[in-house]
C-alpha cells in the first residue's frame, strides 16, 4: 500500500496525482543505484574482515588480530553510513 507524502492518503498504483491534495506522486523504480551497490560491497567486505579477525586468533597465516579488528571496525562505520545513505534515498 502506497501513501501520499503530503497528506498521507492511500494511493492506487495507476494514480499519478493524489486525489486528496493534488500533489504529484513520485514512483520509485526499485533499482539499487550506486548507494545500493556500495552497501552490498561494504557489507561483503565487513563480513570477510570479521571472519579474518576471528581466524587470526587460531591460525598464524592471517594478518595480525589488531589489524583485522581495526579494519572490521572501520568497515562497520562505513557500512552504517552506507545504510543511512540508502535509507535516505528510499524515503
Amino acid at each position: 500500500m502506497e501513501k501520499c507524502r503530503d497528506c498521507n492518503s492511500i494511493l492506487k498504483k495507476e494514480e499519478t496525482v493524489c486525489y486528496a491534495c493534488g500533489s504529484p506522486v513520485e514512483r520509485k523504480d526499485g533499482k539499487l543505484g550506486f548507494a545500493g551497490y556500495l552497501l552490498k560491497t561494504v557489507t561483503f567486505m565487513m563480513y570477510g574482515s570479521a571472519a579474518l579477525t576471528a581466524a587470526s586468533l587460531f591460525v598464524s597465516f592471517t594478518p595480525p588480530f589488531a589489524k583485522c579488528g581495526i579494519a572490521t571496525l572501520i568497515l562497520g562505520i562505513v557500512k552504517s553510513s552506507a545504510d543511512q545513505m540508502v535509507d535516505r534515498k528510499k524515503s
Side-chain angles (χ1 to χ4, degrees):
M1 178 183 329
E2 191 172 0
K3 294 190 176 190
C4 177
R5 289 187 179 196
D6 294 334
C7 67
N8 209 24
S9 62
I10 298 173
L11 300 171
K12 294 181 181 178
K13 290 182 181 179
E14 61 270 359
E15 289 180 325
T16 58
V17 177
C18 177
Y19 68 90
C21 67
S23 66
V25 176
E26 294 181 18
R27 304 269 185 214
K28 298 292 180 184
D29 56 358
K31 293 183 180 177
L32 289 176
F34 178 72
Y37 291 120
L38 177 68
L39 178 61
K40 281 187 173 184
T41 304
V42 169
T43 302
F44 178 73
M45 290 171 57
M46 189 190 76
Y47 287 133
S49 178
L52 274 176
T53 302
S56 68
L57 292 172
F58 303 109
V59 293
S60 62
F61 59 85
T62 60
F65 177 78
K67 289 183 181 180
C68 290
I70 291 172
T72 303
L73 179 69
I74 291 171
L75 285 169
I77 293 169
V78 172
K79 182 185 175 305
S80 172
S81 177
D83 278 333
Q84 291 174 2
M85 185 170 56
V86 168
D87 286 344
R88 190 177 321 134
K89 290 198 178 211
K90 282 183 182 176
S91 59

